[in-house]
Structure formats: structure tokens, C-alpha cells
Amino acid sequence: MNVVMKNSIAAMIPELTDWRRDFHRHPELLYDVPRTAGIVAQRLRAFGFDEVIEGIGETGVLGILHGRDGAASGQDQRVLLRADMDALPILEASGAAHASETPGMMHACGHDGHTTMLLGAARHLAETRDFHGSLVFCFQPAEEGGAGAKAMIDDGMLERFPVKGAYAIHNWPGIPVGEFGVVRGPAMASAHGLTITVEGLGGHGAQPHRTRDPIVAAAHIITSVQTIVSRVIDPFDQAVVSITAIHGGEAFNVIPGTVEMKCGFRAFTPAVAQKIENELRRICEKTAEAFGTTVTLRPKPHMPYPPTVNHDAETEIALGAMRAVVGEASVRTDIRPSMGSEDFSFILNEVPGAYVFLGNGDTAALHNAAYDFDDEAIAYGVAYWVELARRVLPA
């Protein structure tokens, strides 16, 4: 990274920090991000972007920026850079002066920082246009379980603006600020969700012989499901199966007629995920039948998320950009894949690209009520985006 670029980015950081903290104070969920999306679109226009499109995938924003030689003449001269905008339904306990002003909502995954860093890069690149072709800046809603990336694709984003590659960045607690990391190949798992409903025959708690107890059936399902990973999935395949919620009954003396459970499972390949689902259905149906009950399994809306798999060539380009910003010693390639999931995977299923990690220091974990994005990381994220643009579309 040259001195001029470094000084230009450094000069923006106080203002970018204010922007990030403003986003943090005003979190919005899923597709309901009118304030955030509105600010993003307004700023892109103020930067002098060649085109700004709102309402892609309900509330997504696209900013089109042409390089010094004008618009891209084809797909091979166009690249997509993506940031997510939505927050989480968590009551904040960070203690920060800029904490959420909306009870029960907070930016617990750092999307406020992601949006700010991409806006910072947009501002710098709009001033310099130091690339050849066109950049598609994608500000996406509903990453947190709403499949906002898929919604933008379904709304024609990649048909209207076909790209040769796509890139995204996520902050990562535990990696020091000023360092980057990337996983070659499969980086994050797929995510699947099922609601399991066991129907029995309720009755008086003193007369269980007159009932078909769905709680007993559900308990056996929970126990049996734990054998899927340990006894069905190949030990060399990574997978997680968890029953994460259960509800049935309200009283001490009533056996309920229904029990509802939520089950999440994750894998790195479609074949393993399908095997897990097949086993879940078999266990649930046979166990329910054994106890004289019935069961239904309903997929969670917007699921599954596919695995996030980095492409080789694009990963090497991203590595080059990271090393240019912080030096080779501060770029980690020893990071293990995460069983977490990410809907940028929908984009990577359509075009090659890379998803990288940015150090957020010794902070609380993602999705924790005490989490906060570290503002010291903003400059590194902006610099990465700027350097990456220069490398993927060299002037």
C-alpha cells in the first residue's frame, strides 16, 4: 500500500468511526433496513457513483463505479464487492457509549463495521478511480437468516451486472486487529433448520395410560438424534446436529398433546447434509410411531444456506491484497474452517470469489450481547478493499 493511499484512508477514519457508531446505535433487522440502506444510497450518490440502484432483493443497494477508462465492456471487467447491513435480535450488553438505542436489537456480528468499511473504500475509489472496468458495490440486507444474498440474486443482480468475481470480508474476534486470515476451499458450513412437531394425545397428568405422551417421544428423539454424527456420518466428514429449542405443555398436571422442537444441522458438503436430513426424518418418524404419536418436520424459511467455498484463483488475489496491506507475517492461512454459515455462499455458487476474515481483536464472540466491532479495524478493511480493487481490475 503506497503512502498516498495510506494517508488518504487515515484521513477518513475519524469520520468513518462516527458513521460506524451511528449505524451501531440504530440497528435494523433482516430486510427491514430502510434507514441503513437509505444512508448507504445517499452517500454513494454523494461520492459521485455512476449509478445507484435501491430496492434490489427488497432493500439491497447496488452502487456502480466505473474506472478511469469508463464502464466495463464485459463481464471480465466487472467485479462485485459485498457488505451486509442487518443486525440481530439481541439485547445489547456491551456497555459502549454508542450502544444500541433500540431495545432488543444490536449489531452483534459487526455488520455496522462491514458497511462502514465498504463505504470508506467506495469514497476513496470514487475519488481516485484507480482501476479499469466497473466495480459493483453490493450492500445486502438479511444475512442473518433471511438469505438476503439469494434475494438479490433472484431479483436479477447478477443478470443485470454479470461479474467475473465476488469478494466479501467478515470481522473475526480472536484474530488481532491489523491481521487478516483466509481459509482455502471450504471456509464455512452449510446451515439447515427443521421444526419438529410431535403430536400425541394429551390428558390428565395422573392418568398417563389414557394419553400418548409426546414429551416422552420427543425425549427419545432428542437422545437418538445425537447418534447421527457419532454413528452415521463418516468420522472424516465434519457435521453438527443440535436440538436447540423444545416446548410442550404449561401445567404441572397436564400431559400436553403437542411438543415442538427446533433442530439445526451443519455440514460442508450437500451429500453429508442430505444424509443428516434423511436420518433425522427416519429417527423422528420411527420413534414417534413407537410411542403411538405422529411427527412432522418443516424446513426453516430461507434455509438452507449452502457451504461457503473459496475459489483458488480468487483466494490468491485476496491473499495478495491482504499481504500488500499488512505484510505476509500478518496474514494467516492456518485458520480452521468454521461450522458457522454465511449467505455470501449463494453468490459464490454463481461466480468465483473469496471470503476473508479481518481481525477484531480480543472482543466478545460474534452474536454475544457484549460484542462490539473494534473501530481500529476500519482502516485495515478499507485498505484491503482499495488494494483488492486495484488488483482485480488493474488500471
Side-chain angles (χ1 to χ4, degrees):
M1 183 169 60
N2 63 50
V3 174
V4 174
M5 183 197 306
K6 185 175 181 179
N7 291 340
S8 174
I9 292 170
M12 291 193 291
I13 296 307
E15 187 173 14
L16 293 181
T17 299
D18 289 341
W19 291 0
R20 203 285 296 181
R21 294 180 179 183
D22 177 69
F23 287 139
H24 193 92
R25 281 191 292 268
H26 302 283
E28 297 174 302
L29 301 182
L30 292 172
Y31 291 95
D32 188 20
V33 291
R35 182 182 188 274
T36 306
I39 289 172
V40 166
Q42 179 185 42
R43 287 188 176 141
L44 294 179
R45 291 189 177 100
F47 299 159
F49 264 57
D50 298 285
E51 190 174 359
V52 177
I53 306 102
E54 299 179 71
I56 303 291
E58 294 192 33
T59 48
V61 179
L62 294 179
I64 312 303
L65 185 67
H66 304 318
R68 61 176 61 169
D69 299 323
S73 60
Q75 179 176 346
D76 64 334
Q77 296 179 7
R78 193 181 295 115
V79 169
L80 182 144
L81 312 179
R82 174 269 204 172
D84 35 20
M85 299 186 289
D86 58 321
L88 284 157
I90 297 174
L91 180 64
E92 183 161 0
S94 69
H98 53 269
S100 170
E101 297 177 4
T102 306
M105 296 185 197
M106 70 168 291
H107 273 290
C109 204
H111 297 185
D112 50 344
H114 301 168
T115 299
T116 299
M117 291 186 296
L118 192 55
L119 280 174
R123 181 175 177 175
H124 177 89
L125 289 164
E127 292 172 354
T128 65
R129 309 254 176 177
D130 189 20
F131 59 94
H132 175 73
S134 298
L135 291 169
V136 180
F137 287 75
C138 172
F139 294 87
Q140 178 211 304
E143 189 281 325
E144 298 290 358
K150 184 176 186 298
M152 295 186 78
I153 293 169
D154 291 346
D155 205 11
M157 174 176 70
L158 296 177
E159 295 172 0
R160 185 171 176 182
F161 300 103
V163 296
K164 71 172 182 177
Y167 297 83
I169 189 169
H170 203 294
N171 77 96
W172 209 249
I175 298 178
V177 172
E179 293 187 9
F180 288 90
V182 68
V183 180
R184 290 184 169 93
M188 302 188 82
S190 61
H192 309 251
L194 293 170
T195 297
I196 303 169
T197 304
V198 183
E199 296 277 355
L201 177 64
H204 201 293
Q207 299 176 323
H209 59 292
R210 296 181 180 274
T211 72
R212 291 292 185 179
D213 191 341
I215 289 181
V216 174
H220 280 264
I221 288 172
I222 293 170
T223 301
S224 299
V225 160
Q226 307 311 309
T227 67
I228 294 175
V229 173
S230 65
R231 290 296 179 269
V232 177
I233 301 303
D234 187 317
F236 289 98
D237 289 324
Q238 296 165 301
V240 169
V241 181
S242 298
I243 301 293
T244 56
I246 178 169
H247 178 77
E250 301 291 346
F252 288 97
N253 60 349
V254 178
I255 292 172
T258 302
V259 170
E260 183 177 278
M261 298 178 285
K262 297 185 188 302
C263 176
F265 60 97
R266 296 166 184 266
F268 279 98
T269 68
V272 172
Q274 189 60 59
K275 181 177 285 190
I276 292 171
E277 182 169 345
N278 292 345
E279 284 297 306
L280 274 167
R281 292 186 179 277
R282 184 186 65 80
I283 288 170
C284 289
E285 290 166 3
K286 298 300 184 182
T287 304
E289 182 182 3
F291 287 93
T293 61
T294 60
V295 67
T296 58
L297 291 84
R298 302 190 315 276
K300 181 183 182 296
H302 306 298
M303 290 289 182
Y305 279 15
T308 302
V309 181
N310 283 328
H311 297 251
D312 292 342
E314 287 68 26
T315 299
E316 294 306 315
I317 293 170
L319 278 166
M322 290 185 280
R323 288 165 178 157
V325 172
V326 296
E328 187 165 359
S330 295
V331 178
R332 296 177 53 181
T333 57
D334 61 344
I335 297 173
R336 298 173 66 183
S338 169
M339 295 306 295
S341 61
E342 163 63 57
D343 80 342
F344 187 64
S345 56
F346 287 106
I347 295 175
L348 291 182
N349 277 1
E350 301 293 327
V351 297
Y355 181 86
V356 307
F357 300 117
L358 170 70
N360 200 58
D362 188 21
T363 62
L366 301 174
H367 292 211
N368 185 289
Y371 167 88
D372 191 17
F373 183 89
D374 192 326
D375 292 318
E376 295 298 318
I378 293 174
Y380 297 101
V382 174
Y384 166 74
W385 281 130
V386 171
E387 182 64 28
L388 180 70
R390 295 172 65 246
R391 287 170 178 262
V392 293
L393 296 173

